[in-house]
């Protein structure tokens, strides 16, 4: 079935409707850490274009005074806190505490002082973390999800953001995966059911339409 045929079927089912935008967005940057972005890592891939696009988006968000939140992966010694996820993907053991720099955020998109780095152990940035509390404390109503991988942690985080009551936006240039097939398929499915998958330009236009947080 072609993508056009897929969307014809989805349109008939009422899928792919726009959620619109909220008034208080936050930028979530999922797992742009060396374990995912370095070609020296078994889990890594070339995500340069998505990192560059997300860095541009982060600059706009910071100029507007919007929350910018990072995530990375980290396990305690022995990785028992990774549970069945570690058994499914043994390469995740590289994120064991003390095993190297893999959990550090890529220097091409560094957090600024005061920007939270949420430590997660599973795919979703929400599962077992304080992310929902951070967003609620900032009175956020919209989560702009960026990072990697599209088919894994981005998808899981977008789904949990929706299920936590937030409107979800995914700028397509700002997410990356290890292979084009899963990347494309998951962007299509995210837009059909869980998020507005839009361009970076559309996202920036949306942000520029908002008043700066510090003016409210």
């Amino acid at each position: 079935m072609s993508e056009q045929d897929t969307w014809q079927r989805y349109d008939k089912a009422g899928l792919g409707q726009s959620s619109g935008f909220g008034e208080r967005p936050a930028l979530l940057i999922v797992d742009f850490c060396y374990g995912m972005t370095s070609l020296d890592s078994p889990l890594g891939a070339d995500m340069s274009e998505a990192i560059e696009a997300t860095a541009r988006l982060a600059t706009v968000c910071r100029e507007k005074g919007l929350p910018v939140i990072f995530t990375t992966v980290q396990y305690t010694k022995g990785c028992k806190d990774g549970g069945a996820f570690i058994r499914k993907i043994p390469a995740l053991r590289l994120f064991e505490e003390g095993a190297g720099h893999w959990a550090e955020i890529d220097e091409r998109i560094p957090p600024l002082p005061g920007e939270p780095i949420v430590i997660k152990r599973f795919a979703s940035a929400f599962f077992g973390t304080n992310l929902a509390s951070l967003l609620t404390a900032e009175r956020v109503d919209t989560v702009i999800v960026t990072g990697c991988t599209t088919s894994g942690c981005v998808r899981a985080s977008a789904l949990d953001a929706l299920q936590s009551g937030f409107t979800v936006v995914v700028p397509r240039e700002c997410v990356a995966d290890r292979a084009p097939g899963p990347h494309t398929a998951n962007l299509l499915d995210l837009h059909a059911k869980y998020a507005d998958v839009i361009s970076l330009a559309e996202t920036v236009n949306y942000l520029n339409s908002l008043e700066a947080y510090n003016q409210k």
Side-chain angles (χ1 to χ4, degrees):
M1 181 183 293
S2 69
E3 185 172 335
Q4 182 178 359
D5 291 337
T6 298
W7 277 115
Q8 287 177 349
R9 178 171 293 185
Y10 280 16
D11 287 341
K12 185 177 180 180
L15 300 175
Q17 303 300 308
S18 175
S19 301
F21 301 113
E23 296 181 354
R24 296 185 70 84
L27 177 61
L28 178 63
I29 302 175
V30 178
D31 293 357
F32 272 156
C33 54
Y34 287 113
M36 298 295 185
T37 65
S38 172
L39 296 180
D40 293 329
S41 166
L43 294 170
D46 183 5
M47 301 182 181
S48 301
E49 291 184 1
I51 291 172
E52 181 181 349
T54 304
R56 295 201 302 269
L57 184 58
T59 296
V60 176
C61 289
R62 288 160 176 158
E63 289 172 349
K64 288 288 185 179
L66 304 175
V68 176
I69 301 172
F70 291 77
T71 77
T72 190
V73 182
Q74 184 80 75
Y75 300 106
T76 57
K77 289 287 187 180
C79 298
K80 290 185 178 180
D81 47 344
F85 200 25
I86 296 289
R87 295 198 299 274
K88 183 64 177 176
I89 310 177
L92 287 170
R93 288 186 176 277
L94 64 86
F95 290 111
E96 181 180 6
E97 184 181 0
H101 74 299
W102 304 113
E104 296 176 10
I105 303 299
D106 194 303
E107 63 183 1
R108 292 172 291 179
I109 186 166
L112 297 185
E115 292 179 343
I117 302 175
V118 174
I119 305 299
K120 66 187 188 68
R121 295 169 178 83
F122 296 92
S124 172
F126 288 84
F127 186 80
T129 75
N130 65 337
L131 177 57
S133 295
L134 288 172
L135 296 170
T136 300
E138 294 282 358
R139 293 184 289 134
V140 167
D141 60 12
T142 301
V143 181
I144 303 170
V145 182
T146 64
C148 66
T149 59
T150 313
S151 60
C153 298
V154 166
R155 179 190 175 89
S157 300
L159 177 56
D160 273 2
L162 176 78
Q163 293 175 155
S164 298
F166 300 100
T167 298
V168 184
V169 173
V170 178
R172 63 176 64 90
E173 295 96 332
C174 297
V175 293
D177 213 312
R178 299 181 186 90
H183 174 76
T184 301
N186 279 274
L187 284 181
L188 186 152
D189 199 54
L190 280 167
H191 187 67
K193 302 170 186 174
Y194 309 118
D196 282 6
V197 178
I198 62 176
S199 70
L200 173 60
E202 290 174 291
T203 308
V204 170
N205 287 340
Y206 155 55
L207 295 175
N208 284 334
S209 73
L210 301 173
E211 297 180 17
Y213 265 30
N214 58 16
Q215 294 177 355
K216 290 189 175 184

